[in-house]
Structures are given as C-alpha cells and as structure tokens.
Amino acid sequence: MIGPLPRLHRIGVLAAVLLVCAAIGAWLGSSPSIPFLVGTGLVGGAAVGAVAAYALLHQPHTHDSRPRHRHR
C-alpha cells in the first residue's frame, strides 16, 4: 500500500503498473522458450497489473467500534 494519494497520482500509478505488467506479459508471450501468444501474454499481464495496482492503491477502511451518537 502506497498511502493516500491525490486522484491524478492514483491514475498515474494505475496506468504505469498496467503498462509495465502488460509489456512484461507481451514480452513473455513473444519469447520462444515459453509457448504463449503475445495477445495472451498482454491480457494476462494486464490482469496481473490490475491486481497489483489494486493492492498498491487500496486503502483499508477502519471501522470505529464506538458509536458516534448517544441515543436517549
């Protein structure tokens, strides 16, 4: 988790992670030693990138156990 970021920076991190992971997937798909297609590697890399971006940018929600208002 990176921490609280402004919306523009979160979009930039998301785009960068997706781009890097998709490029790595396409590169692995074009490698002759691994029998994948470039498109399959691209989609798989983008999926891994989406999960990684979610893990990096997700803010855990803390639930306060105390009630906010006292009922009468």
Side-chain angles (χ1 to χ4, degrees):
M1 182 177 73
I2 293 177
L5 293 174
R7 185 174 194 88
L8 181 64
H9 291 96
R10 284 186 290 175
I11 292 171
V13 168
L14 173 70
V17 169
L18 283 176
L19 182 67
V20 167
C21 288
I24 290 172
W27 175 68
L28 286 175
S30 68
S31 175
S33 63
I34 302 172
F36 287 122
L37 299 174
V38 175
T40 305
L42 187 67
V43 171
V48 170
V51 171
Y54 177 78
L56 281 172
L57 297 175
H58 180 70
Q59 297 294 322
H61 299 286
T62 58
H63 297 286
D64 194 12
S65 62
R66 298 182 319 226
R68 292 186 181 181
H69 301 288
R70 198 160 85 178
H71 297 284
R72 295 183 183 195

